[in-house]
Amino acid sequence: MYGTTHHTRRRAAGAVAALAGLLLAALPAQAAHAATTPANPGFESGATGWSTYSAGGQDAASFTEAGGHGGSTRLSHWSASAYEVETYQYLTGLADGTYTLSAWVRSGGGQNAAYIALRDCGSAEQRTDLPPTAGSDWIRIVTSVKVTGGGCTISLNSDARAGQWANFDDITFTPGSTGLSVRGGDLSTLPKNEAHGAVYRDAGGRAGDAMSILENSGMNYVRLKVWVDPADGYNDKAHVLAMAKRAKALGMKTLVDFHYSDAWADPGKQNKPAAWAGHDYGRLRTDVHDHTYDVLNALKAQGTTADMVQIGNETNAGMLWPEGSTSNWSQLAGLLTSGANAAKEVSSTTKVALHLAEGGDNAGARWWFDNAVAQKVPFDVIALSYYGYWHGSLTELQTNLDDAASRYGKPVMVAETAYAHTLADADGLENNVATSGQLVAGYPATPAGQAANLRDVMSVVEAVPNGRGLGAVYWEPAWTAVTGSGWDPADPSSGNAWENQAVFGYDGKLLPAAGWFSHR
């Protein structure tokens, strides 16, 4: 009876609330496990407290078995034939407000749909998809909803083909909300692309301004890198000022990324700008301060004060080598502090981020930030790059983000991430991700695979406890292949190894991944 009535209630979207209430009141099975917190959240008592619904009579596809996350038992969805099944629990007596559902999950991936959800809560259903997981890895995901009317259904769902599976465990339902305040993109190369004739189109094929198209998709932060004296004149102070004006006009915030170099700075190279080449450590501290202050003060003067700033880019091994190498932490700390102090002198509200690559390397992040804290480097945000094909599994990313947020008491974010929408090449230069062997299992190099990868990275950030997951920034979503806009500022003939990871396709049209910029 309960399953049939539940099915009717779920499908009859136009039914009035009073009728729904009467139907629910008439169901003793539902009343038997009505509560403000879920019964048997770890499935240690089998499926007690949970109900199952399957349109095709495949209730057996939902079952409990040994091998839990926190205890000895888990809920599993699996069948030898295609199936669609929901395991759910209805809560009543809730005070109106926002609530968050959390679950530890695993999935083999590939399902038509596999997700946790909160529905029938008096507002629109909210859901979060299960990421495909590696081996025995578990990942915690969350979703939140506004409850009005006192009731809400916790729903665990799979729509799968034969042999596909999902696991769920350690369910919690608590007051509070989730969401991401940073849903950004690094648009540093956009001016150069535009100067060389790049054309951008929205999903409907209409040509337009790339930044506007992305803002309309939900992007709310623009990240802009600053080089000191780049050979091609791009990524300099003037271009950052112009881009910040464009972002401000669209109501977007800015994250300014100081490389303290004339070209790319990353874990493998942190070369001093030519103008600073002969400077000793003391002079370099002044250089960092003055350069940082100059750029940020100019932004403030034009009414586009930076919302966040990175003091260095992927500084795992330090910056301004050799003086600022991690082999001399006191000097690296001095350089970082000079930049951070300059940012705060311009605007006390600008958030200072310190940025590392290797987002899945918890040991490396602990070592680096333990040193930064011991040296009293001031900072507000921990920023990590995470590319799944280089930086470990999503579980490793989650472990690192959760630990960093807890250990240092700071909000965390993914400052760079991206994924391929194709393995085809558009400009003759081999792409950074060029073969199927480089891909992350469960995420094909397709527009849908790219979108799922961004979705799941954002889900991991959103799940950081205590609201400390700020969000994610997609790296160079608009760097498409156009002749002249290559990677080397000193070589106009250089190509782009990134065009297959942009969120605009080779026809210039916006790809589905951009839809995740409107994530909660």
Side-chain angles (χ1 to χ4, degrees):
M1 177 183 175
Y2 183 66
T4 302
T5 304
H6 165 69
H7 169 56
T8 303
R9 181 168 56 84
R10 186 181 184 190
R11 300 293 185 255
V16 296
L19 177 58
L22 289 171
L23 288 170
L24 292 175
L27 298 173
Q30 180 172 287
H33 38 82
T36 57
T37 57
N40 188 25
F43 303 98
E44 296 305 299
S45 300
T48 301
W50 296 88
S51 300
T52 303
Y53 170 73
S54 175
Q58 301 157 307
D59 288 11
S62 174
F63 55 93
T64 59
E65 61 180 338
H69 168 262
S72 60
T73 309
R74 68 185 182 225
L75 174 74
S76 293
H77 287 174
W78 178 88
S79 177
S81 57
Y83 64 96
E84 183 176 357
V85 70
E86 175 190 23
T87 309
Y88 62 93
Q89 189 170 153
Y90 184 70
L91 305 180
T92 62
L94 299 168
D96 286 356
T98 305
Y99 292 81
T100 294
L101 171 66
S102 171
W104 285 92
V105 300
R106 299 193 305 190
S107 171
Q111 299 96 327
N112 298 319
Y115 58 92
I116 64 171
L118 292 170
R119 56 174 184 77
D120 301 332
C121 306
S123 60
E125 175 180 312
Q126 296 294 316
R127 63 173 64 174
T128 297
D129 296 273
L130 271 63
T133 51
S136 59
D137 287 354
W138 289 87
I139 288 177
R140 186 185 62 261
I141 56 175
V142 297
T143 195
S144 63
V145 74
K146 184 177 181 181
V147 173
T148 58
C152 191
T153 298
I154 296 171
S155 180
L156 315 175
N157 295 265
S158 294
D159 177 1
R161 290 181 283 274
Q164 294 176 336
W165 60 272
N167 298 152
F168 308 83
D169 203 3
D170 295 336
I171 309 298
T172 67
F173 181 82
T174 55
S177 63
T178 66
L180 299 176
S181 59
V182 176
R183 305 181 304 278
D186 189 316
L187 298 180
S188 300
T189 308
L190 179 58
K192 188 174 181 180
N193 247 41
E194 291 171 330
H196 286 88
V199 175
Y200 299 95
R201 304 181 187 280
D202 65 18
R206 294 175 290 272
D209 171 66
M211 192 185 293
S212 295
I213 291 170
L214 291 167
E215 190 276 331
N216 286 335
S217 296
M219 183 183 287
N220 67 352
Y221 247 93
V222 175
R223 183 177 186 248
L224 302 167
K225 68 173 169 281
V226 189
W227 289 339
V228 176
D229 188 20
D232 60 3
Y234 289 96
N235 300 300
D236 63 353
K237 174 183 169 182
H239 282 90
V240 168
L241 289 169
M243 287 290 281
K245 277 189 175 180
R246 289 172 63 177
K248 179 76 170 182
L250 292 170
M252 303 171 82
K253 295 184 176 182
T254 54
L255 164 54
V256 180
D257 173 18
F258 284 94
H259 282 229
Y260 303 112
S261 181
D262 290 337
W264 305 98
D266 55 46
K269 53 185 177 299
Q270 294 282 337
N271 301 322
K272 282 183 283 190
W276 306 356
H279 295 181
D280 62 13
Y281 166 67
R283 179 70 182 277
L284 288 171
R285 286 201 65 172
T286 301
D287 292 333
V288 168
H289 175 279
D290 292 353
H291 171 63
T292 305
Y293 187 95
D294 177 55
V295 173
L296 296 181
N297 196 50
L299 285 166
K300 181 180 179 180
Q302 70 171 14
T304 60
T305 300
D307 297 280
M308 192 183 302
V309 57
Q310 279 179 221
I311 306 302
N313 187 76
E314 295 189 333
T315 55
N316 301 59
M319 66 185 201
L320 293 167
W321 291 345
E323 286 81 2
S325 166
T326 50
S327 62
N328 190 333
W329 249 104
S330 64
Q331 291 194 175
L332 172 57
L335 295 169
L336 293 168
T337 299
S338 290
N341 287 345
K344 293 295 188 179
E345 287 166 21
V346 173
S347 170
S348 61
T349 62
T350 297
K351 300 297 184 184
V352 171
L354 301 180
H355 176 217
L356 302 183
E358 305 290 343
D361 180 10
N362 183 231
R366 275 192 171 206
W367 173 82
W368 199 96
F369 278 98
D370 280 355
N371 275 287
V373 169
Q375 296 286 339
K376 296 182 171 53
V377 178
F379 65 98
D380 303 306
V381 175
I382 293 170
L384 303 173
S385 295
Y386 176 75
Y387 300 98
Y389 42 81
W390 289 332
H391 296 159
S393 68
L394 281 172
T395 296
E396 290 170 321
L397 173 65
Q398 182 164 79
T399 296
N400 200 18
L401 289 172
D402 290 0
D403 180 65
S406 173
R407 186 175 179 86
Y408 306 106
K410 303 287 187 180
V412 297
M413 64 181 290
V414 170
E416 294 184 21
T417 193
Y419 200 74
H421 61 80
T422 180
L423 292 178
D425 173 60
D427 68 354
L429 176 66
E430 184 178 18
N431 291 322
N432 287 329
V433 177
T435 67
S436 59
Q438 294 174 280
L439 300 176
V440 180
Y443 301 103
T446 63
Q450 180 190 55
N453 187 264
L454 177 58
R455 174 199 73 197
D456 294 343
V457 169
M458 295 174 81
S459 291
V460 166
V461 180
E462 186 180 20
V464 174
N466 301 311
R468 287 191 173 130
L470 290 181
V473 176
Y474 197 96
W475 198 74
E476 292 285 8
W479 192 9
T480 55
V482 289
T483 301
S485 184
W487 69 271
D488 187 351
D491 181 4
S493 68
S494 63
N496 176 4
W498 202 260
E499 77 273 10
N500 68 326
Q501 296 191 71
V503 300
F504 291 90
Y506 290 175
D507 59 359
K509 288 175 61 176
L510 191 70
L511 295 170
W516 287 100
F517 293 128
S518 61
H519 188 70
R520 283 184 297 272

